[in-house]
Amino acid sequence: MKYKLSICILLAAATAAAAQVASHAPSSMGTASAASPASTLQVNDKPVARVNGAVLTDRDLVREMFAIFPYAKQHNGFPKAQEAAIRQGALEMIIFEELVYQEAGRRKLTVSVEQLNRAEADFRKQFSSPDEYEQYMQTEMHGSRQMLRKQIQRSLLIEDVLKTDVEDKATISSADIKAYYDKNPVRFEQPESFSIQSISILPPRNAPASAEVVQQNHKRAEDALRQAKATKSYEEFGLLAEKISEDDFRVNMGDHKAVGRDKLPPQVVKAALAMQAGQVSGLIQIENAFTIFRLNAHNPPRKQSLADVKTDLRTELQKSKYEQLRSNLAKSLRAKAKIEIV
């Protein structure tokens, strides 16, 4: 159950209510960072919206804000620069959920006692201790098990509508995947690329480009080349790169992965075309810097096969279809609803 029943969201909301904080309030949740000025957001069950007369409160809003930014407690609240967007997103979500819940009522959907009991038992298992559960019940449900079961029932009904109207309809067949693949051939064409590792020797920062500086740099590069030529494997070259290279790729064993031909300097491409996989280049000077690279693979241009992309493509298309169906449902429900923002 993901609607209002995630334990981390509910407990976060309860904590926020108890502490009267939901975003960067140093007086209640520690010191806010200098880059993120603090602000306070009270939780006192005041209305924030009405949907066909049903009242949504700031407690509902804060709960959803924690769903959008679950790390708020660890980060001393919501980032100030993002707080307004998080609040707006949360407001849209609780309105949508209420519309879906009301739609479930119009359809006369029900939840069996057995289903409700199972969901309640599963919910309780999410707490780390009985004391934590009791704290939640007192803070969020005013000690009322009936209120809890009503919330659980609400969540199950929302999920039922979304399953029939969105999830079940978002299924992508193998024929759908093939049709997309056939209609978008350019997307699956992979250009020629080279998989390389590099060791770079860069001139000292702010040093004048004098002949002496260039000569000293060249001497260091020749020493690096001697060591690089002595390596016999990806791992050996990578460890050397981590030790002596001065470019940003040194932190990843000098590995650039596969780089398109058009993204590499012409000097590197020329050298790579004359090399076999596993070979180490000579010194390549680019302005006042020197580079040595190991060619791991020369990948000719090719088109990815349907089998190569089928799994990822199914996930992508299904997610896109799900979001579109959900958006359409929201628009349809909003079109016949009376919504007031308080």
Side-chain angles (χ1 to χ4, degrees):
M1 291 173 292
K2 57 186 176 182
Y3 293 98
K4 303 294 183 290
L5 294 178
S6 170
I7 187 63
C8 62
I9 298 169
L10 288 173
L11 289 181
T15 301
Q20 294 186 335
V21 170
S23 60
H24 280 286
S27 61
S28 301
M29 293 187 71
T31 304
S33 67
S36 302
S39 65
T40 301
L41 191 152
Q42 301 287 334
V43 175
N44 52 24
D45 293 313
K46 70 177 182 180
V48 294
R50 292 186 180 89
V51 181
N52 294 323
V55 177
L56 304 178
T57 70
D58 58 356
R59 186 177 298 273
D60 302 316
L61 181 66
V62 169
R63 182 184 292 123
E64 197 61 46
M65 288 176 73
F66 274 96
I68 293 172
F69 190 77
Y71 306 108
K73 187 176 180 182
Q74 296 93 313
H75 289 273
N76 296 324
F78 302 100
K80 182 62 178 176
Q82 301 172 30
E83 184 177 328
I86 292 172
R87 187 185 190 282
Q88 183 60 35
L91 184 61
E92 291 297 320
M93 178 57 77
I94 63 174
I95 289 172
F96 173 70
E97 289 177 346
E98 179 60 29
L99 287 169
V100 175
Y101 175 60
Q102 292 181 18
E103 179 64 19
R106 279 190 289 271
R107 297 180 188 183
K108 302 188 184 314
L109 300 182
T110 61
V111 175
S112 70
V113 174
E114 293 77 10
Q115 186 181 7
L116 188 56
N117 288 341
R118 285 196 304 270
E120 182 183 9
D122 290 341
F123 179 62
R124 291 193 63 158
K125 289 176 184 176
Q126 296 178 77
F127 292 84
S128 60
S129 69
D131 287 343
E132 187 178 65
Y133 173 73
E134 287 303 322
Q135 179 188 3
Y136 163 75
M137 287 296 295
Q138 294 303 320
T139 305
E140 281 286 296
M141 298 294 155
H142 308 293
S144 171
R145 183 187 174 204
Q146 182 180 0
M147 184 180 294
L148 173 65
R149 286 172 69 84
K150 186 175 180 180
Q151 277 285 72
I152 293 174
Q153 181 187 52
R154 182 180 189 273
S155 291
L156 292 173
L157 289 171
I158 291 172
E159 288 185 358
D160 281 350
V161 174
L162 291 180
K163 185 175 188 306
T164 58
D165 288 35
V166 179
E167 185 178 340
D168 290 349
K169 295 180 180 179
T171 302
I172 297 294
S173 68
S174 295
D176 294 330
I177 297 172
K178 188 175 187 310
Y180 182 90
Y181 178 83
D182 291 340
K183 290 178 181 178
N184 298 274
V186 175
R187 177 181 170 181
F188 304 104
E189 291 176 359
Q190 292 191 324
E192 180 182 17
S193 65
F194 298 89
S195 299
I196 63 171
Q197 292 165 274
S198 69
I199 293 174
S200 298
I201 304 300
L202 308 179
R205 280 187 180 178
N206 303 320
S210 64
E212 182 180 359
V213 169
V214 174
Q215 185 178 11
Q216 290 174 350
N217 218 38
H218 188 269
K219 186 176 181 180
R220 292 195 303 125
E222 286 184 326
D223 182 58
L225 176 63
R226 177 184 56 79
Q227 296 180 68
K229 287 288 189 180
T231 63
K232 304 298 183 185
S233 66
Y234 171 94
E235 288 76 15
E236 288 183 13
F237 189 98
L239 291 173
L240 181 64
E242 290 184 344
K243 182 179 178 182
I244 69 172
S245 183
E246 297 168 355
D247 63 29
D248 292 339
F249 293 95
R250 67 185 182 277
V251 297
N252 192 34
M253 301 188 78
D255 198 342
H256 295 239
K257 305 299 182 184
V259 185
R261 178 173 181 157
D262 61 334
K263 304 251 184 337
L264 289 170
Q267 306 96 307
V268 173
V269 173
K270 182 179 179 180
L273 289 172
M275 295 166 60
Q276 299 293 320
Q279 290 185 328
V280 175
S281 72
L283 273 185
I284 297 174
Q285 184 172 357
I286 302 174
E287 296 181 353
N288 293 325
F290 293 92
T291 291
I292 306 151
F293 72 90
R294 182 180 195 273
L295 179 66
N296 293 319
H298 176 193
N299 311 302
R302 73 180 187 94
K303 183 179 180 181
Q304 291 176 290
S305 70
L306 179 58
D308 289 338
V309 301
K310 189 172 185 178
T311 299
D312 289 343
L313 199 52
R314 183 187 299 276
T315 301
E316 176 191 324
L317 295 178
Q318 189 162 312
K319 180 179 178 181
S320 176
K321 189 173 181 180
Y322 183 98
E323 293 300 328
Q324 186 59 57
L325 287 165
R326 185 191 172 284
S327 177
N328 292 343
L329 176 62
K331 289 177 183 177
S332 173
L333 295 177
R334 276 180 169 271
K336 52 191 177 184
K338 181 180 179 181
I339 299 171
E340 303 171 79
I341 306 301
V342 180

